[in-house]
Amino acid sequence: VDSDTYALYYFGAAVSVGATMKTFTIPADGSTITEEKSVVISGNVQTQPALIKADDDTYISVHSLGNNGYVRTWDISADGKTITNVKSHTISQFGQYPSIVKLDSNSYAVASFGQATDYNGVNRQAGSITTLDIPDDGLSTKLNVPEPSVSNI
């Protein structure tokens, strides 16, 4: 988040079908670890989520439940004391175990694995890549999220 504030977003048994986002302050010398904020995201999370920084205070998370994917934008204050969900969007046929990378200023690619229909109309386990267009501030009224293209990887 900044030079001594860190964000952690994880899935765990403590939250049933959910995840937790926490922020911590750790000084450069590592002498202390202070939890600043903890937010439980209930439901819609079944596998390890992914988190990426979009700008100074905006983050994008992706996670899955079954074959549906969930994209959320978050604002996290520089001191880590405030975590706010800005927008949420659901994607069908998304897959599991998503990983996200930033392609350019507003474009991201998400790789995932799961049940999908291939070009022959056959349902099978496959990898997919979904591209997302999200403004840095995360305030788009509608995230531009096309249905994922499926390829057998």
Side-chain angles (χ1 to χ4, degrees):
V1 176
D2 70 10
S3 64
D4 66 348
T5 306
Y6 301 86
L8 175 65
Y9 187 40
Y10 63 95
F11 168 78
V15 203
S16 187
V17 179
T20 303
M21 186 178 300
K22 291 184 177 187
T23 53
F24 299 90
T25 300
I26 305 171
D29 66 5
S31 59
T32 60
I33 298 174
T34 304
E35 182 179 314
E36 299 296 345
K37 183 74 174 178
S38 179
V39 175
V40 173
I41 297 92
S42 61
N44 298 341
V45 182
Q46 189 176 32
T47 60
Q48 186 61 39
L51 183 69
I52 192 168
K53 189 171 187 172
D55 71 11
D56 289 339
D57 66 347
T58 305
Y59 293 78
I60 299 167
S61 68
V62 292
H63 53 271
S64 65
L65 178 65
N67 284 329
N68 290 326
Y70 299 88
V71 178
R72 295 182 181 184
T73 56
W74 303 87
D75 280 345
I76 301 177
S77 61
D79 63 6
K81 295 183 186 299
T82 305
I83 301 172
T84 306
N85 183 207
V86 178
K87 290 286 179 184
S88 299
H89 186 80
T90 304
I91 307 169
S92 63
Q93 294 296 310
F94 186 73
Q96 299 180 357
Y97 308 104
S99 177
I100 185 169
V101 295
K102 192 168 189 170
L103 301 174
D104 62 31
S105 64
N106 292 347
S107 299
Y108 301 83
V110 179
S112 60
F113 177 80
Q115 184 85 14
T117 305
D118 69 13
Y119 61 90
N120 289 320
V122 177
N123 285 334
R124 62 179 73 229
Q125 295 292 317
S128 68
I129 295 175
T130 303
T131 56
L132 312 172
D133 292 322
I134 303 172
D136 288 342
D137 64 9
L139 292 175
S140 173
T141 55
K142 181 178 186 300
L143 301 177
N144 178 15
V145 183
E147 287 301 309
S149 58
V150 177
S151 59
N152 292 323
I153 299 175

